[in-house]
Amino acid sequence: MNIFSKKVLKETGVHHLRLLCTLGRIACFMFLPVWLIFDCKNVIADMTSENTLSSNVLFLLFIDGVLHWMQNILAFTIIKMVAPLTYAVANVTKRISIISVSLLLLQNHVTSSNVCGMMMAIGGVFYYNKGENGSKIRCKGEKYRLIDKLINI
């Protein structure tokens, strides 16, 4: 999705938040009928029975929606600013962080294959950053050599 969004942003020149709004509307129109067919009856039945939703649950659902909306705004803003590969690497870093924190907080059992996978992901992010920084240093070096040649002419 992020590579396609970046392509749409470049080719159409549409603002990144307008694209997010358009995609949200399309998703709403696509999934609202599905929700009405399958889940609406259950929600209405639960609200009319003694299993009413508490204000605490509604508040948590509202907070979840707001945080998800803010995360999408941040994601589309970052997609606009960086290359798709850089965004993908940042997304992997975010996932590694979330998994690590959840493992520490929930104290879930971790297998050796889980640890190996996390180490591979961390190593991939590390080597990507190392390669990215190396290419920037090479470009700066070539730029300075070109300037020196122009000055010496």
Side-chain angles (χ1 to χ4, degrees):
M1 178 75 173
N2 58 13
I3 294 172
F4 179 72
S5 298
K6 183 74 171 185
K7 183 178 179 182
V8 169
L9 287 172
K10 276 186 177 180
E11 291 179 358
T12 62
V14 68
H15 193 268
H16 60 282
L17 295 180
R18 181 165 300 275
L19 178 62
L20 175 63
C21 183
T22 303
L23 290 174
R25 286 181 185 156
I26 292 170
C28 182
F29 288 128
M30 286 177 63
F31 290 108
L32 187 62
V34 175
W35 181 81
L36 288 172
I37 292 169
F38 292 104
D39 288 335
C40 185
K41 292 181 271 186
N42 294 336
V43 170
I44 292 172
D46 283 345
M47 291 182 81
T48 57
S49 69
E50 56 192 54
N51 297 331
T52 60
L53 292 172
S54 69
S55 60
N56 211 10
V57 172
L58 291 175
F59 175 73
L60 290 175
L61 285 171
F62 175 76
I63 293 297
D64 178 60
V66 168
L67 291 175
H68 187 69
W69 173 70
M70 289 171 54
Q71 188 268 335
N72 280 325
I73 289 177
L74 181 64
F76 271 76
T77 303
I78 291 173
I79 285 172
K80 180 166 176 31
M81 294 180 352
V82 299
L85 183 60
T86 303
Y87 179 76
V89 170
N91 201 16
V92 168
T93 305
K94 178 187 79 167
R95 289 180 183 174
I96 292 169
S97 302
I98 290 171
I99 291 169
S100 300
V101 169
S102 70
L103 288 175
L104 290 174
L105 291 177
L106 300 176
Q107 298 176 351
N108 290 338
H109 177 71
V110 181
T111 64
S112 59
S113 63
N114 295 126
V115 173
C116 182
M118 288 181 67
M119 290 300 151
M120 286 175 59
I122 292 169
V125 169
F126 172 74
Y127 282 117
Y128 171 77
N129 287 332
K130 186 176 178 181
E132 185 75 17
N133 289 335
S135 68
K136 285 180 184 176
I137 290 170
R138 282 191 299 275
C139 287
K140 284 182 182 178
E142 291 172 9
K143 181 178 168 183
Y144 291 134
R145 277 184 253 140
L146 181 63
I147 291 172
D148 285 342
K149 286 180 185 179
L150 291 174
I151 291 173
N152 291 333
I153 293 180

